[in-house]
Amino acid sequence: MVKSPINRIQGLFQKERQDILSIFFTAGYPQKEDTRAIIRELDQAGVDMIEIGMPYSDPIADGSTIQQASTIALNNGMSIPYLFEQLAGIREITDIPLLLMGYINPVLQYGLEKFLAKAAELGMDGLILPDLPMTVYEREYQQLFQQHGLSNVFLVTPQTSESRIRKIDDLSDSFIYVVSSASTTGKQEGFGETHGAYFQRIAEMKLKNPCIVGFGISNHQSYMRANHALDGAIIGSAFIKAIGAGEKLEESIPAFVHHIRQP
């Protein structure tokens, strides 16, 4: 399956929209069957992009909140094949960009080419695999991603060199995930002066791809700071806490999105 040269992620940023909001959640959390309902509620609440987390037992970038959500999801019986079953027909529910986020080992166990083909068939727009080395992607996988019309999203951190960032920009065709700090997800709240200097350094590089800030965004203030500094914001841990608090999804999700985007 080959998609249009312009996918939904590219289309989103071609609209030159302001205050981009991407939400990450762990598939199979809080309940195994919540995946479609969460996507539907996020779409109706007006988020711009959704990252669907594939739970994994040995994460390297996830903080305690997402680790706990992954553990619960795995105990609920969530797996990649079951997630794919849940995502069948998802494009009848939403037309906003959808990405699968996780780690490379479960994808390789499933079969990379088989995984990409299925993701494309289901209408996914891209993957975020933090532990997929850039050189391996370029040498072995880039052509497969392109054949299936899927974007591979790379992460950069404050420690990433300018030369590597520019190489990542060259290999990317959707957006770059700007990790706000070297810590795991959910460790920090808000941004300080060092973050501002880091974001400014990225902005001054004039990269061809939009740059979306993740890690440390949990409220309206940090969301707006990320959008003013770069091209958008990703929220994960704070959203997972919100939907795990026991309220109905149709109540907790709109309330959370409103809290983040309130004027």
Side-chain angles (χ1 to χ4, degrees), residues 8 38 57 78 86 112 121 144 167 199 202 220 233 235:
R8 294 178 187 86
I38 291 172
S57 58
M78 181 53 63
Q86 292 182 327
L112 181 81
E121 175 190 326
L144 285 173
K167 178 65 175 178
F199 298 154
I202 298 291
H220 177 70
I235 301 179

Side-chain angles (χ1 to χ4, degrees), residues 89-144:
I90 200 66
R91 285 305 174 189
E92 299 171 6
I93 294 175
T94 181
D95 196 44
I96 67 175
L98 298 176
L99 299 100
L100 296 171
M101 184 170 185
Y103 294 92
I104 188 64
N105 188 49
V107 174
L108 294 177
Q109 288 184 344
Y110 186 91
L112 181 81
E113 188 164 7
K114 177 184 173 186
F115 183 97
L116 296 178
K118 188 64 177 179
E121 175 190 326
L122 293 169
M124 299 297 103
D125 299 293
L127 274 69
I128 306 174
L129 301 169
D131 59 341
L132 171 58
M134 178 178 67
T135 53
V136 174
Y137 168 76
E138 182 180 21
R139 184 177 65 246
E140 301 180 23
Y141 302 147
Q142 184 177 17
Q143 187 174 357
L144 285 173

Side-chain angles (χ1 to χ4, degrees), residues 72-92:
I72 292 171
L74 290 171
N75 290 339
N76 286 343
M78 181 53 63
S79 65
I80 287 177
Y82 195 75
L83 173 59
F84 284 156
E85 288 183 24
Q86 292 182 327
L87 293 176
I90 200 66
R91 285 305 174 189
E92 299 171 6

